[in-house]
């Protein structure tokens, strides 16, 4: 009875999705965090991910249940190697075994395309990890080479916006001086292995830190006057684009102008504590709704207008076991039962609650905004780019949408 209820809700959801996007469907990349004890089993998450048009998923570990559930679905995965494993990965034998067990074992059925080694290591509260990051990345890559997987799986790491010394205006973007000796060799590695630079960007933190000076409309992609960068003469009407272009400038300063940038996390909480101004269902709806609209138009940033944005939204579900303020547990597009956390235009899908507690790589604070530290006093100014990206693409062809319908109903009839 429960499965038939689930299938009926899924069918209704997809029909509603077609009416919302009659000529195009937005392909969403999503962060799938699991620091919770009430999430549905991964096999019930598969149709939810596909129904919202997601083609890319980022995990914070290499959960075998998730990777098995998504086998033969065509969904691409970034798997995570948690900060707590970095020191072990400085031993090539350990890295080789990890890749065999957590990547090779699931290929080619599950499309693992990248490994994110660590998360915001350079601005993490354990500075001893910084020296382990690059050796770990190098060994994981060497393991991929040895297993002849390096042509299909890249190795990278995600950074917080707090790695920037300057972020305002975007033309002044520069990495922190104290981190350059770590960042430069990492950039060299990414360049040589053709891997993207990942950045986690949360305009919410800038607004939360200084709501009197930071315009809410500016951070929510709402209509506003914005500002003109005095050096580039480019106009910015939202903070996320300004943050991204500051990263491009910082990369350019170090000689990596052509390096691809992915926003590995961005999102907005639908609930927060009393001092977390701006955390509300209304603002979360505006932020993520407007973001999806902008990216569906294939708009690049002012400094890179012809480069499609490659963004992963945080997150799939609200996660009830995340530590920290209330906002940390309320970034999800969906509640654990599959119903929307707020209205983004879809009706949701009833799913069965699970009883497994995700580890997020074994560290309760290892995914999402909970690990993002405020930058040092000299790291930001202007609009206060304080913290920390699904590639969002457009299905312009009804052929792919029709194929999605065929797959969906095949799943329902199974």
């Amino acid at each position: 009875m429960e499965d038939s209820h689930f299938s009926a809700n899924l069918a209704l959801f997809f029909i509603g999705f077609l009416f919302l996007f009659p000529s195009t469907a937005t392909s969403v990349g999503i962060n799938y965090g699991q620091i919770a004890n009430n999430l549905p089993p991964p096999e019930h998450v598969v149709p939810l991910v596909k129904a919202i048009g997601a083609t890319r998923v980022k995990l914070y570990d290499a959960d075998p249940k998730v990777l098995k559930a998504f086998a033969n679905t065509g969904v691409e995965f970034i798997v995570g190697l948690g900060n707590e494993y970095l020191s072990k990965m400085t031993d090539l034998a350990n890295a080789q075994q990890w890749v065999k067990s957590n990547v090779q074992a699931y290929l080619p059925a599950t499309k693992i395309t990248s490994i994110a080694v660590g998360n915001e290591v350079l601005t993490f509260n354990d500075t001893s990890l910084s020296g382990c990051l690059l050796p770990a990345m190098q060994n994981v890559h060497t393991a991929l080479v040895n297993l002849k997987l390096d042509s299909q799986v890249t190795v990278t790491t995600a950074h917080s916006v707090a790695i920037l010394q300057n972020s305002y205006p975007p033309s002044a973007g520069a990495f922190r001086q104290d981190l350059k000796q770590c960042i430069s060799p990492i950039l060299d590695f990414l360049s040589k292995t053709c891997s993207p630079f990942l950045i986690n960007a949360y305009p919410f933190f800038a607004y939360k830190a200084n709501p009197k000076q930071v315009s809410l409309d500016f951070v929510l992609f709402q209509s506003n006057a914005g500002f003109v960068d005095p050096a580039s003469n480019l106009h910015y009407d939202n903070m996320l684009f300004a943050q991204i272009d500051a990263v491009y400038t910082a990369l350019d300063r170090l000689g990596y102008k052509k390096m691809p940038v992915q926003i590995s996390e961005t999102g907005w909480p639908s609930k927060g504590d009393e001092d977390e101004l701006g955390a509300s269902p209304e603002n979360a709806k505006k932020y993520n709704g407007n973001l999806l609209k902008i990216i569906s138009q294939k708009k690049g940033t002012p400094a890179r207008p012809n480069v499609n944005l490659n963004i992963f939204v945080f997150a799939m579900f609200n996660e009830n076991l995340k530590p920290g303020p209330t906002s940390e547990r309320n970034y999800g597009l969906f509640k654990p039962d599959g119903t929307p956390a707020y209205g983004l235009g879809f009706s949701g899908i009833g799913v069965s609650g699970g009883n497994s507690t995700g580890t997020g790589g074994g560290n309760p604070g290892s995914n999402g905004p909970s690990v993002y530290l405020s930058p040092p006093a000299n790291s930001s100014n202007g609009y206060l780019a304080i913290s920390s990206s699904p590639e969002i693409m457009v299905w312009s062809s009804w052929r792919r949408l029709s194929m999605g319908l065929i797959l969906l109903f095949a799943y329902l009839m199974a």
Side-chain angles (χ1 to χ4, degrees), residues 24-102:
T24 63
T26 304
S27 176
V28 180
I30 193 82
N31 283 276
Y32 183 1
Q34 299 181 81
I35 303 180
N37 61 6
N38 58 355
L39 298 182
E43 58 267 25
H44 282 184
V45 178
V46 174
L48 181 59
V49 168
K50 294 186 78 68
I52 63 175
T55 60
R56 295 194 177 195
V57 172
K58 184 163 75 69
L59 293 178
Y60 294 88
D61 53 17
D63 187 337
K65 293 181 180 179
V66 174
L67 295 177
K68 288 178 182 177
F70 278 84
N72 303 310
T73 62
V75 176
E76 296 184 2
F77 272 82
I78 296 177
V79 297
L81 198 163
N83 293 355
E84 65 273 23
Y85 298 116
L86 291 184
S87 60
K88 295 180 179 179
M89 293 304 113
T90 57
D91 184 323
L92 179 57
N94 290 337
Q96 187 100 357
Q97 185 56 51
W98 189 92
V99 172
K100 282 184 177 180
S101 301
N102 296 283

Side-chain angles (χ1 to χ4, degrees), residues 261-324:
V261 173
Q262 294 184 9
I263 308 306
S264 41
E265 292 179 19
T266 193
W268 196 280
S270 59
K271 186 178 180 180
D273 295 323
E274 289 186 5
D275 63 341
E276 294 189 288
L277 296 179
S280 70
E282 295 77 17
N283 289 338
K285 176 181 179 180
K286 289 178 181 177
Y287 185 85
N288 286 318
N290 287 333
L291 177 63
L292 295 177
K293 289 178 183 178
I294 289 174
I295 300 174
S296 70
Q297 299 167 2
K298 294 187 177 181
K299 289 183 62 175
T301 65
R304 297 287 193 280
N306 298 319
V307 177
N308 287 343
L309 296 172
N310 192 332
I311 296 180
F312 287 77
V313 170
F314 188 86
M316 191 74 189
F317 297 107
N318 287 335
E319 301 171 71
N320 69 338
L321 295 182
K322 293 192 68 177

